[in-house]
Amino acid sequence: MATTRTVKVDYLARVEGEGALKVTVRDGEVRKAELRIFEPPRFFEAFLRGRAHLEVPDITARICGICPVAYQMSSVTAMEMACGVEVDGQLRALRRLLYCGEWIESHALHVFMLHAPDFLGYPSAIELARDAPDVVASALEMKKIGNELMTVVGGREVHPINVKVGGWYRAPRKGELAPLVPKLERAREIALEAVRITSGFDFPDYEQDYELVALDLQASTRSTAAGYSPGWSSATSS
């Protein structure tokens, strides 16, 4: 008599958003596996109703604790476009620097703490650290450097508070930025070693066709001003 078991995990934490896994096993053989990645509602659109435009960057930064700058910059850019404000020069360069801080800490977290254990057969980074303590220590060092950069430029390492519509509440001084230079050079060394390590991972041979669609706000603004309706720009990747 055939026996069927269903293994269902409603929430997987080590994915972007949240994940759910359902596996059907019949007579000891996996017959069906379903993986769902979903994003629960955040309700930030409702949070922003009736709020002052200067509050938007700080509120939207709370959407994510790992990549708050992405949401913060999207919202502040939208507010500036609505107000006809353009931020360029050194002020824009500082925003790029803040973004770099987020990229450093976010990639270090995802590559070494979330993905590497799966590729190398460990349940978590804690177990990985027992066999490869130097690798995990370097990853934590790189993440710390990214956090320091976000703190100096953005005011703090999680949910930065220094970005404002039109520029910054406070621009960092040269004396605050200079000590970061040798640390960032060290982060570059760690990043190059990370490329060498991850290039040896056994990635599954899997491809999926999908279409990427994005709205170009600047192109839409120019088209509207010229008397055209806003358009969509899309790219197909396979």
Side-chain angles (χ1 to χ4, degrees):
M1 182 177 179
T3 59
T4 302
R5 293 181 56 220
T6 300
V7 180
K8 185 179 180 183
V9 181
D10 290 323
Y11 298 101
L12 298 172
R14 278 165 50 187
V15 296
E16 180 65 28
E18 294 183 10
L21 177 66
K22 182 179 179 181
V23 180
T24 302
V25 182
R26 182 175 300 170
D27 292 336
E29 181 180 346
V30 176
R31 295 299 182 90
K32 188 177 182 180
E34 300 176 46
L35 175 65
R36 294 194 306 117
I37 306 296
F38 55 92
E39 193 75 36
R42 306 291 185 90
F43 303 111
F44 273 82
E45 295 86 352
F47 295 161
L48 295 175
R49 292 174 185 169
R51 307 302 291 260
H53 70 286
L54 293 177
E55 296 179 280
V56 174
D58 288 335
I59 294 175
T60 55
R62 270 69 177 178
I63 293 176
C64 180
I66 298 176
C67 52
V69 178
Y71 298 100
Q72 190 174 62
M73 287 301 171
S74 297
S75 64
V76 77
T77 300
M79 293 297 101
E80 287 167 352
M81 291 181 67
C83 296
V85 175
E86 183 176 353
V87 176
D88 54 14
Q90 292 301 307
L91 294 180
R92 188 171 184 84
L94 281 173
R95 289 186 175 180
R96 169 76 175 181
L97 196 60
L98 179 62
Y99 240 134
C100 288
E102 177 177 274
W103 289 337
I104 293 171
E105 62 87 14
S106 177
H107 280 68
L109 173 65
H110 279 82
V111 171
F112 288 99
M113 307 301 157
L114 302 182
H115 293 170
D118 289 336
F119 280 104
L120 299 176
Y122 293 90
S124 72
I126 296 176
E127 284 76 12
L128 174 60
R130 293 171 182 163
D131 292 339
D134 293 341
V135 172
V136 176
S138 295
L140 291 173
E141 182 183 1
M142 181 162 60
K143 188 179 188 310
K144 181 179 179 181
I145 294 170
N147 287 342
E148 288 184 30
L149 181 56
M150 290 183 66
T151 299
V152 172
V153 181
R156 61 184 181 189
E157 61 191 38
V158 180
H159 306 319
I161 54 175
N162 199 18
V163 177
K164 66 175 291 187
V165 177
W168 300 85
Y169 286 106
R170 177 186 179 276
R173 306 293 188 263
K174 181 178 180 180
E176 297 171 318
L177 293 171
L180 292 174
V181 174
K183 296 179 180 181
L184 291 172
E185 290 175 343
R186 167 60 180 159
R188 181 173 58 189
E189 295 177 1
I190 300 173
L192 291 173
E193 178 62 16
V195 172
R196 186 192 67 78
I197 294 173
T198 55
S199 64
F201 287 176
D202 184 16
F203 291 93
D205 185 15
Y206 175 77
E207 292 185 1
Q208 180 174 346
D209 293 335
Y210 55 90
E211 186 173 16
L212 300 177
V213 181
L215 177 64
D216 187 332
L217 293 178
Q218 292 182 338
S220 298
T221 303
R222 292 192 297 269
S223 298
T224 303
Y228 301 101
S229 60
W232 292 87
S233 61
S234 64
T236 302
S237 176
S238 60

